[in-house]
């Protein structure tokens, strides 16, 4: 006979006896004693525990508390229960909970005070023999006596049924990784089913019956920014202030870091940031902040009832890594110095053989110490710089490229076969297309028919505009497709530094871009004409131009510019290594690329070449192209991207001077490129 059936039979017998006694006796009923808690099927216990854990996973703490035994709910108020679990979730940054239940094991609990939700006791006759015979009376004529109340702390009669369920709890956490707790949970039978017996020790035994949790944090020291030659660009001073030993050199590229504000802490998704700790605000300080900042050491400490503190979870502090960069101090210094007189300008210098970035210069100048200590390292007060000074115009400044874009028009014509080294065209002062007249600079012209090298040297709009229409008539997307191959209209892919993608005004762009009349018009021949000379809606950065010209000179390899070579911990452990990465192989033959380079050499070598005066007497063959771009105002942007030596380039430089009165690329930007190249070739 099962225990349940036995109990049911006993209850039935007792009920009949009680009814008979009520009908035949006026003697007060015997004082009742507690009855046993109903027995629940043991196989239902795991389901009750799984429901409790599901509430835990979803953060339904009130439901969890309700699932506890009545005695535990009285002993542990819901607020304290919830506080402990929320501390665990917050301190570990728990994101998920999984579990695996073992086989339940029947156990017996000793008698305990009657819980508040225990069923009322069933009256039972005292075992004193048969009741005396008495006359029959009408039950309605005699009041039923009240049973003697049972004190609330009266123990339950007999042993109490419970089960012990082994469970593996697996918490996925941001702060401590995967946390696995192997525990055993007791569930006690009650009138409503199975109740969870709760103790904080289910989390960690060191908590005892009423402990709590604390999180101990060890802040890391921020790493340095260091050149491959050992030049230190950023470090912490002994007093904790962030300083920049190179002062004005590469200021925008390095950026700056300042103490975290209350808002920074509030917005920090990791939950690890504390007020006063350094946060990167711009440049590499911001882009490589995760590497430089390191990660704090974390210890989850259980404080038991007796006040003892025991570390139950631990994550070691990882110091900030030193970020090793490819900038060359001498080249960077020259590039910065050449731009110092200008209100807005940018220069990018890269190694065309592998994409390493050697300099990113910008004007106006910027000294990061102005944002951290308010003065130079020698104590000279520094004014608060404006936004333009903090912006790197080498990577975030996008401008029309002007005639420096003609090299891509020539490349597209060669690729399609609508032009060749044998091609001859006119270079008149003006050219009319579909009723519109276009001009050369000051309506200058070359007599007769000229080859494409001569037209490039003289920067003939009236040659390269018609050439772009020949390309368009052959293939409407050929020019824009090739320009995209050279990396325009997209990020260069440089790591740890924000860069501007610019605008490539192709057919897709004009599907959404509104024109001057506020309407959408598809890409057409006039857009092709404007793009052919770097005007219209096109915008590009010095880094994009330097990288694209490098690809022309190196045989068609477009590199991902590399600024951060690696990151190393103080003990020498390399935590990030960025290998040189080839982004694209340009779909031009070596012969076609060589002819484009020849056209760029003509710009420097031909007496009427726009950069001839700027490189007169220069001992190394330079290949470049000037650009004087219209800006919508009276002052143009002056460009000069170039490579050298022309036939086996070792350096690629692109400089833009923004809105400079009466400036041209050949007369104003080209001399600055020459100075940067001289620094490289002289080894200074």
């Amino acid at each position: 006979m099962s225990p349940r059936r036995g109990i049911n039979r006993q209850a039935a017998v007792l009920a009949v006896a009680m009814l008979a006694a009520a009908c035949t006796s006026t003697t007060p009923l015997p004082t009742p004693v507690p009855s046993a808690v109903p027995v629940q099927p043991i196989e239902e216990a795991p389901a009750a525990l799984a429901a409790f854990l599901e509430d835990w996973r979803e953060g339904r703490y009130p439901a969890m508390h309700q699932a506890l035994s009545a005695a535990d709910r009285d002993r542990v108020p819901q607020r304290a229960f919830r506080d402990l679990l929320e501390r665990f979730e917050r301190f570990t940054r728990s994101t998920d909970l999984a579990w695996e239940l073992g086989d339940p094991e029947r156990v017996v609990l000793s008698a305990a005070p009657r819980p508040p939700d225990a069923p009322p006791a069933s009256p039972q006759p005292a075992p004193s023999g048969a009741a005396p015979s008495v006359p029959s009376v009408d039950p309605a004529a005699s009041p039923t006596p009240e049973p003697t109340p049972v004190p609330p702390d009266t123990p339950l009669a007999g042993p109490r049924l419970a089960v012990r369920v082994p469970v593996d709890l697996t918490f996925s956490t941001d702060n401590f990784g995967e946390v696995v707790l192997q525990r055993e949970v007791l569930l006690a039978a009650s009138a409503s089913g199975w109740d969870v017996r709760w103790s904080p020790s289910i989390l960690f035994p060191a908590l005892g019956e009423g402990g709590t949790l604390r999180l101990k944090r060890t802040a890391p020291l921020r790493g340095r920014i260091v050149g491959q030659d050992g030049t230190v660009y950023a470090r912490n001073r002994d007093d904790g202030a962030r300083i920049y030993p190179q002062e004005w050199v590469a200021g925008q590229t390095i950026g700056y870091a300042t103490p975290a504000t209350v808002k920074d802490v509030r917005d920090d998704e990791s939950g690890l940031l504390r007020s006063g700790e350094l946060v990167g605000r711009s440049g590499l300080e911001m882009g490589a902040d995760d590497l430089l900042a390191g990660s704090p050491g974390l210890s989850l400490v259980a404080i038991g009832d007796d006040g003892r503190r025991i570390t139950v979870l631990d994550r070691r502090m990882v110091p900030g890594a030193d970020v090793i960069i490819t900038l060359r101090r001498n080249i960077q210094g020259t590039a910065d110095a050449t731009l110092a007189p200008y209100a807005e300008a940018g220069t990018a210098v890269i190694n065309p053989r592998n994409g390493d970035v050697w300099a990113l210069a910008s004007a106006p100048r910027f000294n990061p110490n102005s944002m951290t200590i308010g003065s130079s390292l020698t104590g000279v007060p520094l004014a608060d710089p404006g936004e333009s000074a903090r912006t790197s115009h080498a990577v975030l400044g996008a401008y029309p490229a002007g005639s420096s874009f003609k090299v891509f028009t020539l490349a597209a014509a060669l690729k399609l076969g609508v032009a060749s080294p044998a091609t001859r065209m006119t270079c008149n002062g003006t050219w009319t297309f579909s009723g519109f007249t276009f001009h050369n600079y000051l309506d200058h012209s070359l007599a007769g028919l000229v080859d494409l090298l001569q037209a490039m040297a003289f920067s003939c709009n009236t040659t390269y505009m018609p050439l772009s229409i020949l390309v368009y008539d052959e293939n409407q997307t050929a020019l824009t497709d090739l320009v995209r191959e050279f990396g325009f209209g997209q990020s260069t892919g440089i790591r740890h530094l924000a860069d501007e993608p610019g605008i490539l005004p192709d057919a897709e762009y004009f599907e959404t871009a509104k024109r001057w009349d506020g309407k959408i018009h598809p890409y057409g021949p006039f857009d092709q004409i404007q793009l052919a000379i770097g005007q219209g809606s096109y915008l590009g950065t010095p880094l994009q131009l330097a990288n694209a010209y490098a690809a022309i000179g190196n045989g068609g390899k477009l590199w991902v510019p590399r600024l951060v070579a690696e990151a190393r911990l103080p003990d020498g452990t390399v935590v990030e290594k960025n290998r040189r990465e080839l982004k694209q192989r340009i779909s031009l033959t070596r012969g076609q690329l060589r002819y484009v380079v020849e056209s760029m050499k003509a710009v420097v070598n031909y007496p009427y070449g726009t950069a001839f005066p700027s490189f007169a007497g220069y001992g190394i063959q330079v290949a470049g192209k000037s650009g004087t771009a219209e800006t919508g105002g009276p002052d143009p942007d002056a460009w000069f991207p170039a490579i050298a030596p022309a036939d086996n380039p070792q350096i690629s430089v692109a400089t833009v001077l923004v809105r400079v009165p009466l400036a041209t690329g050949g007369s104003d930007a080209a001399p600055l490129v020459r100075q940067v190249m001289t620094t490289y070739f002289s080894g200074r």
Side-chain angles (χ1 to χ4, degrees), residues 5 18 21 25 40-41 102 109 116 129 198 216 240 246 268 279 358 370 390 438 472 482 534 553 593 642 657 667 670:
R5 292 178 61 190
M18 291 169 61
S25 175
Q40 302 293 347
L109 301 179
W198 173 257
K216 181 180 177 182
Q246 304 309 311
D268 176 49
V279 176
W358 287 342
S370 63
R390 297 193 302 270
F438 299 93
Y472 183 86
L482 184 62
L593 289 167
L657 309 177
S667 63

Side-chain angles (χ1 to χ4, degrees), residues 217 254 522:
R217 186 177 186 279
I254 302 304

Side-chain angles (χ1 to χ4, degrees), residues 75 199-201 205-212 302-309:
R75 181 175 54 84
S199 167
S201 61
L207 289 170
E209 293 300 316
T212 188
I303 305 175
D305 305 84
D306 57 1
R308 293 180 59 192
R309 297 170 178 258

Side-chain angles (χ1 to χ4, degrees), residues 20-21 23-27 128-137:
C23 295
T24 61
S25 175
T26 58
T27 304
S128 57
S133 177
V134 296
S136 175
V137 296

Side-chain angles (χ1 to χ4, degrees), residues 201-487:
S201 61
I202 290 178
L203 259 180
F204 300 105
L207 289 170
E209 293 300 316
T212 188
L213 295 170
R214 294 285 188 272
L215 187 67
K216 181 180 177 182
R217 186 177 186 279
T218 305
L221 180 66
R222 191 173 182 85
R224 304 175 303 164
I225 300 177
V226 186
Q228 290 177 311
D229 61 356
T231 301
V232 177
Y233 291 91
R235 67 175 178 86
N236 280 19
R237 205 164 57 183
D238 290 342
D239 62 1
R242 193 69 166 172
I243 60 171
Y244 302 91
Q246 304 309 311
E247 302 270 10
W248 304 93
V249 176
Q252 296 90 348
T253 302
I254 302 304
Y256 66 98
T258 57
T261 64
V262 173
K263 183 179 185 303
D264 292 327
V265 174
R266 185 174 62 246
D267 296 343
D268 176 49
E269 294 182 357
S270 74
L272 299 178
L273 186 64
R274 297 293 182 270
S275 291
E277 294 179 353
L278 292 172
V279 176
R281 305 298 185 182
S282 70
L284 283 173
E285 287 277 33
M286 180 175 70
D289 190 68
D290 287 347
L291 294 170
L292 293 162
S295 58
L298 298 175
S299 296
L300 187 64
V301 179
I303 305 175
D305 305 84
D306 57 1
R308 293 180 59 192
R309 297 170 178 258
I310 298 177
T311 298
V312 291
L313 295 176
D314 191 59
R315 188 185 85 177
R316 70 183 183 90
M317 183 270 287
V318 178
D322 286 347
V323 172
I324 313 303
I325 61 176
T326 59
L327 294 186
R328 292 196 176 185
R329 174 63 175 78
N330 59 339
I331 298 174
Q332 178 70 52
T334 298
D336 285 326
T338 62
L339 301 185
Y342 296 93
E344 185 175 340
T347 292
V349 185
I350 69 170
N351 181 349
R353 296 178 175 180
N354 55 33
D356 279 1
V357 177
W358 287 342
L360 294 170
S362 185
R365 296 193 308 162
F366 172 60
N367 186 334
N369 291 305
S370 63
M371 307 299 293
T372 58
I373 61 175
S375 69
S376 70
L377 296 182
T378 58
V380 177
L382 296 171
D384 188 17
E387 181 180 352
S388 183
R390 297 193 302 270
T391 300
S392 174
H393 297 287
V395 294
L396 294 173
Y399 310 99
S403 292
S404 59
F405 224 68
K406 288 173 181 171
V407 296
F408 305 110
T409 304
L410 173 59
L414 295 171
K415 179 181 177 180
L416 278 185
V418 299
S420 72
T423 299
R424 299 292 185 272
M425 299 179 71
T426 59
C427 175
N428 298 323
T430 61
W431 173 67
T432 300
F433 177 81
S434 190
F436 290 86
T437 299
F438 299 93
H439 298 260
N440 277 338
Y441 178 69
L442 299 179
D443 287 350
H444 289 171
S445 63
L446 292 174
L449 296 176
V450 298
D451 62 31
L452 297 177
L453 304 185
Q454 293 172 303
M456 188 70 76
F458 199 67
S459 198
C460 289
N461 293 339
T462 59
T463 302
Y464 279 91
M465 287 178 169
L467 185 62
S468 73
I469 292 300
L470 294 178
V471 172
Y472 183 86
D473 290 342
E474 183 70 18
N475 184 329
Q476 293 184 6
T477 67
L479 177 58
T480 54
D481 289 347
L482 184 62
V483 168
R484 186 178 299 105
E485 282 188 44
F486 277 102

